[in-house]
Amino acid sequence: MSAEGSPAHRSGFACFVGRPNAGKSTLTNALVGGKIAITSSKPQTTRHAIRGLVNRDDAQLILIDTPGLHKPHTLLGERLNALVRSTWSEVDTIGMCLPANESVGEGDKFLMRELAELQKTGQGRKKPIFAISTKIDLVKPDRLRDHLLSIQQASADLGLQFQEIIPVSAVADDQVELLADLLIATLPEGPALYPEGQLTDEPEETLIAEIIREAALEGVRDELPHSIAVVVDEMVPRPDRPEHKPLIDVRVNVYVERDSQKGIIIGKQGARLRQIGSDSRSQIEKILGTPVYLDLHVKVAKEWQRDPKQLRKLGF
């Protein structure tokens, strides 16, 4: 408690983990109250540990949305898994997301074993770990009850101690605020670590690249999402524009691994690439607060997911 008797201010870090497509990014956006992480029906769309900020009078919760932990088939996959595990060691509390519309499967149990091991080694002994049953708007009450029981049973079998199991729907805004309360209650006392009103510490270039990648993911075949990488090459104000009518030129490279994939992204007579630009532009203008001219180029970086040099160049 503070000297005046009001509750002390808390601040700290929490991360969401889960297998791919468990609803982590949608939940992060719902808690933050703005779009900072891309969401897609395609699994493994998150590639960075994105920080989102939940600012309240009594607390600042810094949320880290991690890539989905998965069995890696490429060097990129191995690096994403390493990113997830390093994030666990840095945060104050962990939330494991399990979608209510899917059974608790081997992927979930693999992750539970990893978290149980974290608790056993002492690194996670004092670290609260919550089970979050996501997407509850997609299931009926009896299915949700069975899902919660199966989480409880699986964690008991694997020796993982959840602080609490909480059902939420980010889409329906059901129990999202309660989840924030529970996470904040586990944080240490301390001042805000970021300026008030800020939603994320991600650079504008990263957010813009992610928005374009999200647009590029829509409607593509299952094997293509993992082959797409987006890099913002340049963002410069158009020099000949008057002050009251600014325009920013945003030049972006979309990388794929094969020539055939390049054709898919560009589409017939460039129609698909134009659609990607159209879908992205308004969100980019919202981030930059000014009109933009979006210049998209599609390039081939052969087998970049397996090439250490190319991974470095693309920011992994």
Side-chain angles (χ1 to χ4, degrees), residues 19 23 85 91 112 132 163 178 214 247 249 277:
R19 56 187 165 81
R85 291 190 176 97
V91 297
M112 285 183 187
I132 306 166
Q163 175 111 348
L178 173 60
E214 180 180 40
L247 181 72
D249 286 308

Side-chain angles (χ1 to χ4, degrees), residues 14-290:
C15 76
F16 291 143
V17 299
R19 56 187 165 81
N21 212 21
K24 301 181 294 295
S25 298
T26 307
L27 188 54
T28 298
N29 290 338
L31 282 158
V32 169
K35 185 168 180 125
I36 62 140
I38 74 169
T39 56
S40 170
S41 58
K42 304 287 179 188
Q44 285 161 244
T45 50
T46 300
R47 287 187 181 153
H48 304 271
I50 293 178
R51 285 183 168 88
L53 308 178
V54 180
N55 294 295
R56 303 203 320 196
D57 291 342
D58 62 338
Q60 185 177 73
L61 171 64
I62 300 135
L63 285 171
I64 305 179
D65 174 34
T66 61
L69 198 70
H70 62 289
K71 188 174 181 179
H73 300 291
T74 62
L75 181 58
L76 173 64
E78 289 172 15
R79 289 191 177 176
L80 295 183
N81 278 357
L83 176 65
V84 176
R85 291 190 176 97
S86 68
T87 302
W88 293 354
S89 62
E90 296 166 4
V91 297
D92 299 294
T93 188
I94 296 171
M96 179 179 173
C97 295
L98 302 103
N101 62 329
E102 297 177 35
S103 301
V104 176
E106 286 310 308
D108 299 309
K109 290 173 184 175
F110 167 75
L111 188 48
M112 285 183 187
R113 281 188 204 96
E114 295 265 326
L115 292 171
E117 196 59 36
L118 185 76
Q119 285 183 331
K120 277 181 205 156
T121 57
Q123 291 179 322
R125 188 158 298 171
K126 294 178 183 176
K127 195 168 295 195
I129 302 176
F130 291 86
I132 306 166
S133 175
T134 58
K135 308 185 185 185
I136 63 170
D137 53 299
L138 300 179
V139 297
K140 292 182 176 170
D142 56 340
R143 174 78 187 270
L144 176 58
R145 183 198 64 229
D146 292 344
H147 187 248
L148 298 176
L149 287 171
S150 63
I151 293 173
Q152 197 171 29
Q153 185 63 56
S155 60
D157 291 345
L158 298 167
L160 174 61
Q161 295 180 321
F162 282 126
Q163 175 111 348
E164 197 157 334
I165 300 173
I166 175 167
V168 302
S169 167
V171 172
D173 195 23
D174 191 357
Q175 302 220 107
V176 172
E177 197 62 31
L178 173 60
L179 175 61
D181 291 341
L182 291 170
L183 294 173
I184 285 167
T186 68
L187 301 180
E189 294 181 4
L193 302 171
Y194 290 90
E196 190 181 341
Q198 196 172 329
L199 294 185
T200 180
D201 70 343
E202 285 296 305
E204 287 173 342
E205 287 89 348
T206 302
L207 292 174
I208 289 167
E210 290 291 89
I211 284 166
I212 293 166
R213 191 161 64 89
E214 180 180 40
L217 286 170
E218 288 308 308
V220 298
R221 294 201 304 266
D222 285 345
E223 72 273 13
L224 187 53
H226 315 299
S227 299
I228 298 172
V230 179
V231 177
V232 176
D233 190 40
E234 191 176 40
M235 290 199 306
V236 289
R238 183 78 62 88
D240 56 353
R241 301 283 290 204
E243 270 188 41
H244 66 285
K245 278 190 174 180
L247 181 72
I248 293 181
D249 286 308
V250 180
R251 298 186 181 92
V252 177
N253 291 322
V254 179
Y255 291 94
V256 291
E257 293 188 296
R258 293 189 292 280
D259 286 318
S260 59
Q261 295 170 339
K262 182 176 179 178
I264 293 169
I265 294 294
I266 293 172
K268 191 174 181 182
Q269 296 179 329
R272 181 148 173 65
L273 192 61
R274 283 195 298 275
Q275 187 64 48
I276 292 168
S278 172
D279 292 346
S280 309
R281 194 174 297 105
S282 60
Q283 289 185 66
I284 294 169
E285 288 178 342
K286 204 179 286 184
I287 288 171
L288 298 179
T290 186

